[in-house]
Amino acid sequence: MMLHRLKLKVVYGDALKADKVSNRLKMRVILIAGFAVFLPFLVITYYLFSETRVMKLLIIGLLSALSCVPVVLYAYAKGFGRPFRELWRERPEELKWLSIKIGFLYGFALYWMILGIVEFLFGYQSFRAALISFVASAAARDGFEIGYLRRLEQSGEHKMKIFPDGRSIREMFPVAAQKIVMLVSTAIIGGALTGLYLGPLLPDPRHQSVAVGIAVGVVATLAYAWALDVPPSRRTLIRYFIWPGFTMAVTYFLILAYLLRIIFQITLSPEMDLALLMSACAGWLTLESLFVAYLQWGKKTSASAISNEELKEVTS
């Protein structure tokens, strides 16, 4: 659900950062989008202030996600640099997919992350209402970046097929299926064992978040370094550990922990609870890290231009 964010940041980040004018416009779009959803989010946050019932939280989350749909479409059009009506006539299927994937599903996932941040990191409920606005900002940011890359693609400055690049994790497995399964399985088992050991020692969710961020972040960074066709620099690895390694590991932990502990209300022993969450985060982020590394093979030319024979040589 958040793989597109890793692609945008890690794979296409250079193209996005190069255009300073576009970056300034993106910040303006994010601010405008925040003001545009002020009224619906005002209603949402009013009900969210002290709400704890599961069904109410689900309904509020759905409303929050629905509010992000027009935000992401608006931001996409601004990033593309063309009126929305024209884009809708030209590429309705892509915009529908964008609405569902980035506007709704991504917004829904971020909603649980926000509740996890406040529930487990800050420890009081009133602040979580203010943080919900972050969901709309993230949707606007990603919508703008996708629209901008799509404009570069149309002008021939950037190669990208369909949102965000038409390439799924499935294409990676024929290249080195056994090694991928082995690495992901090792990450899952390692995460489970680490969680079993740390669970009784770290009862505080804040300490758990840091532990998951460090442990899973290191594993994801090592997997990323292993899967690249060219050895990365130390600076690249440090940057990858900070984001997405540590940051996304904590994000996944907060989402899964809130769903497991608060929404589904599954009570486990401290060691089993953390083992389950850490293993899920480790497997999730390790697989994504392998894939974003794979997408960067032959980046100076074109990853899609590399033949299967060449890909097999890299992983042998």
Side-chain angles (χ1 to χ4, degrees):
M1 196 173 295
M2 295 192 179
L3 180 58
H4 78 278
R5 186 63 215 156
L6 272 73
K7 289 181 179 180
L8 289 172
K9 182 77 171 181
V10 179
V11 182
Y12 302 122
D14 293 341
L16 292 167
K17 287 187 288 188
D19 192 336
K20 302 300 182 184
V21 175
S22 178
N23 285 331
R24 288 195 292 269
L25 176 60
K26 178 173 67 175
M27 295 304 300
R28 190 155 61 244
V29 166
I30 291 173
L31 290 174
I32 293 173
F35 283 112
V37 299
F38 176 75
L39 287 178
F41 273 109
L42 185 64
V43 176
I44 291 170
T45 55
Y46 172 78
Y47 286 106
L48 188 63
F49 183 81
S50 59
E51 188 57 68
T52 58
R53 290 166 294 181
V54 171
M55 284 308 298
K56 286 287 187 179
L57 289 173
L58 285 170
I59 292 171
I60 294 168
L62 291 173
L63 292 174
S64 173
L66 286 172
S67 299
C68 291
V69 172
V71 167
V72 76
L73 293 174
Y74 163 78
Y76 177 92
K78 287 296 182 182
F80 205 110
R82 290 177 57 191
F84 173 75
R85 289 183 179 180
E86 292 183 12
L87 294 173
W88 182 263
R89 285 196 299 267
E90 290 181 7
R91 45 187 76 203
E93 293 303 317
E94 180 180 326
L95 291 177
K96 289 176 186 176
W97 199 93
L98 185 78
S99 301
I100 295 171
K101 171 68 176 180
I102 307 302
F104 185 78
L105 294 177
Y106 180 57
F108 201 39
L110 288 178
Y111 168 76
W112 301 118
M113 182 200 73
I114 295 299
L115 295 190
I117 287 176
V118 179
E119 185 78 28
F120 301 126
L121 302 189
F122 292 102
Y124 52 94
Q125 296 175 334
S126 60
F127 189 60
R128 67 183 178 183
L131 282 174
I132 293 300
S133 59
F134 173 82
V135 178
S137 300
R141 174 202 61 202
D142 291 4
F144 183 93
E145 292 180 355
I146 292 163
Y148 175 78
L149 289 171
R150 194 59 87 240
R151 174 164 62 85
L152 293 184
E153 175 207 16
Q154 191 177 62
S155 64
E157 299 177 49
H158 197 274
K159 291 186 178 181
M160 195 165 61
K161 296 176 183 177
I162 71 171
F163 178 85
D165 56 10
R167 306 179 71 182
S168 69
I169 286 181
R170 289 192 303 270
E171 78 171 78
M172 175 178 63
F173 280 91
V175 178
Q178 290 184 340
K179 291 183 178 180
I180 293 170
V181 171
M182 181 188 68
L183 280 172
V184 174
S185 299
T186 301
I188 292 173
I189 295 171
L193 293 175
T194 305
L196 285 172
Y197 174 74
L198 293 178
L201 303 177
L202 300 175
D204 192 325
R206 290 172 294 185
H207 300 157
Q208 292 177 350
S209 300
V210 175
V212 171
I214 294 174
V216 175
V218 168
V219 171
T221 303
L222 292 175
Y224 175 74
W226 175 86
L228 287 171
D229 60 338
V230 177
S233 65
R234 183 179 299 178
R235 181 181 179 185
T236 297
L237 291 181
I238 292 174
R239 289 174 59 186
Y240 192 89
F241 170 76
I242 296 172
W243 200 106
F246 180 88
T247 308
M248 293 303 289
V250 173
T251 297
Y252 293 162
F253 171 76
L254 292 173
I255 292 173
L256 295 175
Y258 195 88
L259 292 173
L260 178 73
R261 299 170 182 175
I262 307 299
I263 298 302
F264 297 114
Q265 299 179 359
I266 298 175
T267 303
L268 301 170
S269 62
E271 56 269 23
M272 288 301 299
D273 178 274
L274 190 58
L276 178 62
L277 293 172
M278 188 173 285
S279 63
C281 294
W284 188 357
L285 191 55
T286 298
L287 181 62
E288 291 183 334
S289 295
L290 293 172
F291 186 52
V292 293
Y294 165 78
L295 290 177
Q296 292 180 281
W297 287 5
K299 190 175 181 181
K300 292 183 180 179
T301 53
S302 171
S304 60
I306 302 177
S307 66
N308 285 334
E309 289 74 17
E310 290 172 316
L311 296 180
K312 291 176 182 176
E313 289 179 7
V314 174
T315 56
S316 60

